């Protein structure tokens, strides 16, 4: 399997705390954060879409720690 190319999110500022996304496939999307690049989250395009829509709609604004 060829290595995926990582792209920095256009919403990430310069410096640290950047979000990177690996070139998506129809099956999955890989996401990592610049401060800990060895931790890679894997999700599906459909699940990521649900998460993004919920965040944009403000449904994640009032989450609390248990």
């Amino acid at each position: 399997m060829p290595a995926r190319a990582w792209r920095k999110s256009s919403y990430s500022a310069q410096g640290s705390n950047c979000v990177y996304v690996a070139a998506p496939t129809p099956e999955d999307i890989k996401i990592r954060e610049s401060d800990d690049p060895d931790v890679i989250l894997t999700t599906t395009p459909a699940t990521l879409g649900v998460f993004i829509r919920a965040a944009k709609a403000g449904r994640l604004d009032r989450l609390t720690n248990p």
Side-chain angles (χ1 to χ4, degrees):
M1 173 191 280
R4 294 187 191 197
W6 290 93
R7 289 185 348 165
K8 184 171 84 167
S9 168
S10 61
Y11 288 95
S12 292
Q14 296 297 332
S16 64
N17 299 323
C18 298
V19 174
Y20 289 83
V21 178
T25 69
E27 296 82 30
D28 68 19
I29 295 173
K30 304 231 183 253
I31 303 167
R32 71 181 186 193
E33 203 266 329
S34 61
D35 285 346
D36 198 355
D38 292 331
V39 176
I40 299 172
L41 304 176
T42 302
T43 187
T44 65
T47 301
L48 183 59
V50 169
F51 175 79
I52 290 170
R53 286 189 295 280
K56 284 182 175 182
R59 292 194 299 267
L60 307 177
D61 291 351
R62 294 191 180 96
L63 294 180
T64 61
N65 291 329

